[in-house]
Amino acid sequence: MNGPDQLNVPALVRRARDGAGVAPSGIPFPAPRSTTMELITRADWGAKPWQGTPRSVSLSERTTVMMHYHGDPPPYSTGVRVPREVEAIHLANGWSGVGYHFLVDQDGAVYEGRGWGLVGAHCPGYNRTGFGVYVAIGGSQKPSDAALRAARDVYDEACRRTGRTLAKKGHRDGISTQCPGDPLYDWVRDGMPRPGGGSSPGRPSVSLAKLVAAARNDPPRSGTPVSYSGVKTVEAALVKEGLLASRYADGHFGTATVSAYAAWQRRLGFSGSDADGIPGRTSLTRLGDKYRFDVTG
């Protein structure tokens, strides 16, 4: 019979299930809504029993998703040996077990560490409020597109479970460190965009290029053909933000929408030509993070 190291990782992938859970302390936490994030559970990758019981924490206290890397290039970048190696290091530190909430390998597999309901051990000041997400890279290594898509899936699922937009941070935002490395940190600072332009499950996507073209060329009156359907997604977000009257959310990026978008840019701290009402990647990504759409193109 094959040992755990010989197991085929794709065969271990589970769809995260609905249903209430119970933290090790015995405190129940509520059942999440359905999800399509794929997760390899602690049991599936062969995690050791906790050495002591990690404390539980409510989802209502979560504010942040924080990215981490290995430091030096890790000995393993794919497969179940990724979480096992990290677990061995953290146990040697005297911790209860894996300190990260989730671990992502270069094939895009997501492994359960401390999961959704436990306090982490990944960054002082963020162990209770932040979800720590480890990517199996180190040094100057770049994360694969598959790893970035998986990390984005974790972020989206964290926002869905908490019911709000969480801050995106790298380990160096919490303490003085090189972690999570420049390539991964640059991705975090760019807003954690989904590689390849795909949208998250159940979320609409908006093409930045098409939206900019609509803002510059959209017909001036309602009743004419909509130049790009993504305009309605953005207008709906601006209405919710209180910047656009609903009667102007007609699918045309006209003067009212340009003015509303300029107000959004100013709200983010932009000024001058950077707040001219023509969408840019940073402002559009921030709007999408808040109102649940992905930015492509």
Side-chain angles (χ1 to χ4, degrees):
M1 183 173 68
N2 287 343
D5 280 332
Q6 297 169 291
L7 291 173
N8 181 16
V9 168
L12 295 176
V13 172
R14 301 282 191 268
R15 291 282 181 184
R17 294 176 173 83
D18 288 343
V22 177
S25 63
I27 300 174
F29 48 89
R33 291 164 288 176
S34 62
T35 175
T36 56
M37 192 189 91
E38 295 180 334
L39 183 67
I40 299 171
T41 68
R42 289 175 54 83
D44 283 338
W45 63 260
K48 297 181 183 298
W50 294 111
Q51 302 301 302
T53 303
R55 292 168 295 165
S56 60
V57 58
S58 169
L59 288 173
S60 65
E61 297 184 57
R62 303 294 196 181
T63 63
T64 304
V65 172
M66 178 172 281
M67 302 304 300
H68 299 262
Y69 77 161
H70 196 80
D72 292 331
Y76 310 107
S77 61
T78 62
V80 295
R81 288 181 294 185
V82 168
R84 290 177 185 173
E85 173 70 13
V86 173
E87 178 185 61
I89 294 171
H90 289 186
L91 285 172
N93 289 342
W95 301 351
S96 298
V98 173
Y100 304 115
H101 294 89
F102 300 97
L103 303 93
V104 176
D105 75 10
Q106 285 283 65
D107 283 342
V110 181
Y111 302 88
E112 180 185 27
R114 300 208 174 191
W116 302 111
L118 300 179
V119 173
H122 62 95
C123 182
Y126 290 90
N127 289 326
R128 189 173 187 88
T129 60
F131 291 111
V133 180
Y134 164 95
V135 177
I137 57 171
S140 60
Q141 291 177 331
K142 295 182 179 180
S144 66
D145 283 355
L148 294 181
R149 280 191 291 270
R152 178 69 200 213
D153 284 346
V154 174
Y155 174 81
D156 289 341
E157 179 64 10
C159 292
R160 188 189 66 77
R161 286 178 179 248
T162 59
R164 59 188 177 278
T165 300
L166 301 180
K168 304 181 182 80
K169 293 184 181 292
H171 192 186
R172 65 180 67 173
D173 291 319
I175 63 172
S176 178
T177 176
Q178 293 299 309
C179 184
D182 289 343
L184 186 56
Y185 189 62
D186 287 345
W187 177 73
V188 173
R189 288 176 60 87
D190 285 343
M192 295 186 179
R194 185 173 293 275
S199 61
S200 306
R203 286 165 58 117
S205 61
V206 174
S207 165
L208 175 61
K210 291 181 179 179
L211 192 70
V212 169
R216 297 189 185 281
N217 304 301
D218 224 347
R221 298 190 308 277
S222 61
T224 55
V226 176
S227 56
Y228 172 51
S229 60
V231 172
K232 287 187 176 181
T233 300
V234 172
E235 287 180 327
L238 293 172
V239 170
K240 292 177 182 177
E241 188 67 15
L243 299 175
L244 181 67
S246 58
R247 67 180 181 276
Y248 294 122
D250 55 6
H252 304 286
F253 213 116
T255 55
T257 305
V258 169
S259 295
Y261 199 91
W264 168 247
Q265 290 169 319
R266 291 192 297 272
R267 187 166 287 182
L268 296 178
F270 294 108
S271 61
S273 61
D274 291 327
D276 60 359
I278 303 300
R281 182 167 298 279
T282 299
S283 61
L284 189 61
T285 298
R286 292 281 295 275
L287 191 65
D289 285 346
K290 188 169 186 178
Y291 293 106
R292 312 293 291 153
F293 63 82
D294 290 317
V295 178
T296 66

